[in-house]
Amino acid sequence: MPRLVLASQSPARLATLKSAGVTPEVVVSGVDEDKVLADATDRFGELDPADAVLVLAQAKAEEVAARLEESWADAEAPADDSPAGAGSPETEAPADVIVVGCDSMLEIDGTIVGKPADAAAARERWRAMRGGKGVLHTGHWVVDLRDDAAGGTGGTLGSTSSTTVWFADIDDDEIDAYVATDEPLHVAGAFTIDGLGGPYVERIEGDHHGVVGISLPLLRELLGDLNIPWRALREA
């Protein structure tokens, strides 16, 4: 069974994978997102939202993959009599690791909106988008670290899931009460579809899982391109 490493600290992404029978190991990336986007803009010009999330997903997955490979090399190097740790992808050199990185952004009228800076920004965001719609873009990037014996391809590839979301026309009191839960401050676009914000999403067009933060159908397709069937990851 391949070992999936999730390069994200998102509880929603982890829960989504677990609900589908896949329990990844979590190794959070340390990339500077603003710098990654600035560097990409310098190289390629202004990025549209679908490309921006893909660039960030790639940076996260490849940073974690490089860090894992470095830690495995260090663990294999001669050291003192202390044995290397076991059971963690950061202290072993397993033959079957796949890394997936994700990033999400909400686009409204062509403008990218991320996590609100504070409660006031969250309230302003909701007052602007209530009764309207946006597109939630989630970039996915996969890095194949498996060795040849485990079927490794050395591949690194990705794609973006884009889902249109229609928001309910809620009043100011409802917005204030939702913002007071603190949930909108921790998620792209200041809303969830799988949490307290669910009642305020009237409908979507596209993949529900992409709005949560990781598109299971898209991930299945990307893994298929690396010759990994989804059933190989599922625990039951």
Side-chain angles (χ1 to χ4, degrees):
M1 179 184 293
R3 298 172 65 179
L4 188 69
V5 172
L6 177 63
S8 170
Q9 63 184 348
S10 165
R13 292 187 180 116
L14 179 60
T16 299
L17 287 166
K18 285 184 173 181
S19 70
V22 178
T23 301
E25 299 175 64
V26 175
V27 180
V28 180
S29 99
V31 301
D32 182 332
E33 297 186 17
D34 291 338
K35 185 177 186 306
V36 168
L37 288 178
D39 290 346
T41 300
D42 287 344
R43 292 176 60 195
F44 306 116
E46 194 65 32
L47 302 175
D48 65 33
D51 289 334
V53 291
L54 190 59
V55 164
L56 288 172
Q58 179 180 6
K60 292 176 181 180
E62 294 187 345
E63 188 271 342
V64 166
R67 183 148 43 93
L68 289 177
E69 290 184 308
E70 183 179 354
S71 69
W72 297 337
D74 290 344
E76 290 174 352
D80 55 29
D81 3 74
S82 301
S88 164
E90 295 195 80
T91 55
E92 295 179 334
D96 53 358
V97 166
I98 306 292
V99 179
V100 58
C102 299
D103 191 82
S104 298
M105 293 180 181
L106 179 67
E107 175 189 2
I108 296 179
D109 297 329
T111 300
I112 295 174
V113 293
K115 296 177 185 178
D118 52 31
R123 283 192 291 271
E124 182 180 351
R125 175 84 50 77
W126 261 99
R127 287 168 184 162
M129 66 189 191
R130 62 184 169 188
K133 66 179 180 179
V135 180
L136 200 291
H137 302 281
T138 297
H140 302 65
W141 200 273
V142 178
V143 180
D144 186 356
L145 295 182
R146 296 173 300 163
D147 64 19
D148 293 342
T153 65
T156 173
L157 71 164
S159 188
T160 296
S161 163
S162 298
T163 300
T164 303
V165 181
W166 280 264
F167 301 103
D169 190 6
I170 57 178
D171 61 28
D172 288 350
D173 289 342
E174 195 74 27
I175 290 173
D176 291 344
Y178 179 43
V179 171
T181 69
D182 208 39
E183 182 183 80
L185 303 182
H186 303 291
V187 288
F191 79 99
T192 65
I193 194 173
D194 59 330
L196 300 177
Y200 311 128
V201 176
E202 290 196 330
R203 67 186 191 277
I204 66 169
E205 181 180 336
D207 179 20
H208 161 85
H209 297 105
V211 181
V212 176
I214 184 165
S215 168
L216 297 178
L218 179 53
L219 180 58
R220 177 185 55 79
E221 291 176 8
L222 293 173
L223 292 171
D225 289 339
L226 299 175
N227 300 317
I228 302 171
W230 182 261
R231 63 182 179 277
L233 296 176
R234 197 169 54 229
E235 297 170 345

